[in-house]
Amino acid sequence: MFFIDTIELEGLGNRSYLAGGRQGAVAVDPPRDFDQVLAAAVRRGVRITHVVETHIHNDYVTGGLELARVTGAAYLVPADARVSFARVPVADGDTVTVDDALELRAVATPGHTPHHTSYVLREQGRPVAAFTGGSLLIGTVGRPDLVEPRLTEHLARAQHASAHRLAAELPDETSVLPTHGFGSFCSSAQAEGDSTTIGKEKSANAALTTDVDSFVAELLAGLDDIPAYYTHMGPANAAGPAPVDLTPPAVADAREIAARLAAGEWVVDLRNRVAFAEGHVAGSFNFEADGKIATYLAWLIPWGKPVTLLAESPEQLAAAQRELARVGIDRPAAAATGAPREWVTDGEDLVSFPRSTFAGLAGRGTDGIVVLDVRRDSERAGGHIENSVHIPIHELHTRLDEIPAGTVWVHCAGGMRAGIAASLLHASGRDVVAVDDGFESATAAGLAVVAG
């Protein structure tokens, strides 16, 4: 008998896995904060004997090296991955024994990266699951453009070949267990559904139902923006990440918060966008703890800039700190919890800005104001409000001077990114209204939405 436990990383849109038998187990693509993996092993009563990486990750800092050190497990990394630490190099066809009658076989599946390797779990020689990392995903594949622009088309073709190799070598009932595809920008598209098999992918995945030239053309045409922090993840993982430190940051009082703002540091309010708009520290930015804080804060902040976190509770602060550590924002410079009134000095007032909907925008009319669309290019291509200004959220903080004069009504697809953008604009001194609404409401509200 074997088991497979899934460890969800919802904020980053990834999964890692613990698989094993009665005594031994293997951890696949573990996150930097691997305590959930250890807890799963304890619940199962097994020892982690192997830790494996499908590839050197571009979207998060791995916990694999430290998990292997803590547990004494062998650390398996694709042989062609250039790393600066001792590991067990894995080549195509290599096998390791995980438990009685349970083994793991490495299958070279280049495409997401040149060295990408999938791992097939076999029970008594029969394939039962394939840990496919950023290769074959649910209904799609991992993007091929994260390594080197000159390699992108070559890797896209490799993705097609790798998907076909897995489909040819594995039985239809084999479970496909990818790392990416659940919100991560490492996926070329988002997964439709929660689980899949080789058989299902044969009938639904474009890599397996489309000829290579058509597949590559469609894949390359659909590639989206790459989060800026990805530039730092690969080198950090290749060098060997330091152990994660989740101890509470230093406490900041109102005077220190003011001093850090005056020094040009980032002060980030983790509360929801409604509460932030109603009252916040002037100059602070809003990245909701319940949103994709790791993705968007790491994408926007100048790398290495000190960040102070403001949270409603110690629990909210700890959760955000954990999320940020996963993408290499290791130690907040300081933090404060409680009510926003406690974050300003005596005599200083909280500031606020209004919120509205697309119906509110339609009722007001667009004359004399700026409508700012902060969605990505791919989203705007599906339709946008006529005469709106377009600056994707991840470019906004460096392009504020491009926004015309006047009150700015800022929108995205659902409201979360508009809240971030509104906070950036308001901190820069602009009059702003945050449109907290789904973009599908724009046409129903009577606004002119045009294509292209």
Side-chain angles (χ1 to χ4, degrees), residues 117-157:
T117 300
S118 298
Y119 298 90
V120 176
L121 187 68
R122 302 194 298 193
E123 184 184 41
Q124 295 182 337
R126 176 179 64 93
V128 292
F131 301 103
T132 54
S135 182
L136 186 65
L137 311 185
I138 301 178
T140 185
V141 296
R143 60 193 299 169
D145 60 329
L146 301 179
V147 178
E148 158 61 50
R150 291 172 295 181
L151 293 178
T152 297
E153 182 174 349
H154 168 75
L155 290 176
R157 292 181 179 277

Side-chain angles (χ1 to χ4, degrees), residues 1-3 20-24 95-105 120-128:
M1 294 294 293
F2 69 94
F3 71 86
R22 288 187 173 87
Q23 295 181 309
T95 61
V96 295
T97 299
V98 177
D99 200 69
D100 291 342
L102 197 65
E103 69 176 12
L104 203 65
R105 178 176 179 266
V120 176
L121 187 68
R122 302 194 298 193
E123 184 184 41
Q124 295 182 337
R126 176 179 64 93
V128 292

Side-chain angles (χ1 to χ4, degrees), residues 41-388:
V42 169
R43 286 194 302 271
R44 291 287 187 177
V46 295
R47 183 171 72 88
I48 298 174
T49 57
H50 298 82
V51 177
V52 303
E53 303 282 8
T54 56
H55 60 294
I56 300 300
H57 305 282
N58 286 291
D59 62 333
Y60 68 92
V61 180
T62 181
L65 181 63
E66 183 64 8
L67 177 59
R69 187 191 68 80
V70 167
T71 60
Y75 189 31
L76 279 57
V77 178
D80 291 340
R82 304 183 71 173
V83 298
S84 302
F85 50 82
R87 89 288 193 204
V88 178
V90 179
D92 185 45
D94 287 351
T95 61
V96 295
T97 299
V98 177
D99 200 69
D100 291 342
L102 197 65
E103 69 176 12
L104 203 65
R105 178 176 179 266
V107 179
T109 48
H112 186 48
T113 66
H115 61 266
H116 190 283
T117 300
S118 298
Y119 298 90
V120 176
L121 187 68
R122 302 194 298 193
E123 184 184 41
Q124 295 182 337
R126 176 179 64 93
V128 292
F131 301 103
T132 54
S135 182
L136 186 65
L137 311 185
I138 301 178
T140 185
V141 296
R143 60 193 299 169
D145 60 329
L146 301 179
V147 178
E148 158 61 50
R150 291 172 295 181
L151 293 178
T152 297
E153 182 174 349
H154 168 75
L155 290 176
R157 292 181 179 277
Q159 279 289 50
H160 189 271
S162 292
H164 279 263
R165 179 184 180 187
L166 291 170
E169 294 186 5
L170 298 175
D172 283 357
E173 64 271 18
T174 307
S175 295
V176 175
L177 302 173
T179 300
H180 303 314
F182 310 97
S184 168
F185 280 82
C186 271
S187 174
S188 60
Q190 297 315 306
E192 294 184 5
D194 193 57
S195 62
T196 193
T197 62
I198 289 292
K200 289 179 181 178
E201 292 308 303
K202 283 182 177 179
S203 63
N205 196 305
L208 298 173
T209 60
T210 310
D211 68 88
V212 63
D213 290 333
S214 299
F215 168 77
V216 169
E218 184 176 345
L219 178 63
L220 298 186
L223 292 174
D224 215 331
D225 300 307
I226 301 173
Y229 71 91
Y230 278 26
T231 301
H232 307 281
M233 299 298 96
N237 287 325
V244 67
D245 180 2
L246 297 178
T247 56
V251 176
D253 60 16
R255 289 186 180 278
E256 183 172 354
I257 292 170
R260 290 189 176 278
L261 282 167
E265 298 182 10
W266 277 37
V267 173
V268 171
D269 191 324
L270 301 170
R271 295 175 301 144
N272 70 69
R273 57 186 181 268
V274 177
F276 181 87
E278 291 176 348
H280 57 272
V281 178
S284 62
F285 304 142
N286 181 218
F287 290 81
E288 293 179 302
D290 292 336
K292 294 175 75 68
I293 181 174
T295 295
Y296 284 103
L297 179 54
W299 198 338
L300 270 66
I301 192 170
W303 201 251
K305 173 83 73 173
V307 59
T308 294
L309 302 179
L310 308 179
E312 289 179 318
S313 66
E315 292 76 19
Q316 186 182 63
L317 172 62
Q321 185 179 348
R322 179 181 287 265
E323 287 277 330
L324 294 176
R326 291 172 178 166
V327 292
I329 302 178
D330 284 353
R331 297 293 301 158
T337 58
R341 184 66 253 174
E342 303 168 29
W343 303 334
V344 293
T345 57
D346 292 340
E348 184 182 3
D349 293 326
L350 297 172
V351 296
S352 63
F353 55 77
R355 299 166 51 252
S356 190
T357 61
F358 285 110
L361 175 58
R364 189 257 177 238
T366 58
D367 290 343
I369 65 169
V370 180
V371 178
L372 176 64
D373 181 350
V374 296
R375 296 174 300 158
R376 297 186 300 278
D377 292 345
S378 59
E379 296 172 283
R380 185 173 171 87
H384 63 271
I385 295 172
E386 191 173 25
N387 298 322
S388 60

